[in-house]
Amino acid sequence: MEGMFNSAEQAIHVAYLVMSVDARQPNAFAQMLRHVLEELPSRTTKQEAMLEYLGGAHSSDYIDPAESLTMDEYRGQCAQITDRIRNVLPGPECYAVWSRWGVRTGPEGEKSVGVQGLAEYCAPLLRIGEIEAIQALVYGRTNERWRRQGLSYEEIAKAYSISVKTLRLAAATIRTTAESLENRAIQRLSPEWERDGLIAVGEKSYS
């Protein structure tokens, strides 16, 4: 059965991007949604219809006439996704999801909170004493551009007097730990979202 999203991963990815846009800016929301849908490697039939509609939508509040789904309702669906992540997942799994798919930074942003939480969770597994260095490795894992600009192993090594070899080993441990937590989170969330028709049943990850 086809859902609104191809997979739980896709639902999470889109939801956090959508929720990063101010609800009081409908034009910005429509532009963000169109950009997100265009960038997806694969789309559901509903997403294709929505993208086609957004391409010609200028004044209507409806983004999917067949489903009578308004922009506010679509945003509401995304809010439900992010709320379930916050309220259902155990702390480490939530941190892993936020660090990878979260968008907002700053003290209260889910990206920043996720990175800090995942770094603290991984710290006992690593031979690095500086939590800031671990956070830098986690940030670098979640964003290729950041890893190239400011968070390379060489730059972190110089800033914290840690060998590049130690950083590479730590990064590998962080990666496997985070992936394990992400997989557990997806397994925990998927059954409910499949029952609700939010995601496709039995589909492989899009990412």
Side-chain angles (χ1 to χ4, degrees):
M1 181 180 70
E2 187 176 65
M4 182 177 294
F5 301 97
N6 273 332
S7 65
E9 292 94 327
Q10 190 187 79
I12 295 169
H13 171 67
V14 173
Y16 279 114
L17 287 174
V18 166
M19 295 304 293
S20 70
V21 179
D22 192 331
R24 295 168 296 182
Q25 299 177 338
N27 290 336
F29 172 74
Q31 292 173 2
M32 166 63 81
L33 183 57
R34 181 179 178 182
H35 175 73
V36 169
L37 293 175
E38 287 175 338
E39 292 295 314
L40 293 178
S42 62
R43 290 184 286 270
T44 65
T45 302
K46 290 182 179 180
Q47 288 170 340
E48 289 286 1
M50 197 176 299
L51 181 58
E52 181 178 355
Y53 185 80
L54 283 170
H58 298 289
S59 60
S60 175
D61 186 43
Y62 287 88
I63 57 177
D64 188 351
E67 297 292 332
S68 296
L69 193 66
T70 68
M71 290 188 181
D72 284 343
E73 289 168 341
Y74 190 84
R75 184 181 177 88
Q77 292 277 0
C78 292
Q80 289 181 25
I81 292 171
T82 58
D83 285 346
R84 294 303 287 168
I85 291 168
R86 179 183 296 274
N87 296 324
V88 171
L89 296 182
E93 293 176 21
C94 192
Y95 294 144
V97 168
W98 283 348
S99 69
R100 178 177 176 185
W101 287 290
V103 175
R104 296 179 302 154
T105 56
E108 302 298 325
E110 68 278 336
K111 168 70 80 175
S112 299
V113 174
V115 167
Q116 293 170 10
L118 184 59
E120 292 174 2
Y121 181 81
C122 291
L125 308 175
L126 309 175
R127 297 175 59 186
I128 297 177
E130 295 80 0
I131 192 65
E132 292 83 2
I134 300 174
Q135 290 174 0
L137 290 173
V138 176
Y139 265 117
R141 172 187 176 267
T142 65
N143 191 300
E144 179 67 28
R145 179 173 57 83
W146 291 348
R147 187 160 59 249
R148 293 195 307 267
Q149 301 175 5
L151 293 177
S152 68
Y153 294 134
E154 290 74 15
E155 289 167 308
I156 298 173
K158 183 178 180 180
Y160 296 99
S161 301
I162 303 171
S163 72
V164 170
K165 179 180 179 180
T166 297
L167 290 173
R168 290 185 183 278
L169 291 172
T173 299
I174 291 170
R175 181 175 60 255
T176 56
T177 302
E179 288 175 352
S180 176
L181 291 169
E182 290 166 9
N183 289 336
R184 279 154 50 185
I186 295 304
Q187 291 171 5
R188 197 182 303 275
L189 294 167
S190 291
E192 176 185 341
W193 290 353
E194 288 178 353
R195 288 195 303 270
D196 293 344
L198 189 63
I199 64 174
V201 176
E203 293 291 335
K204 294 182 179 180
S205 166
Y206 87 104
S207 57

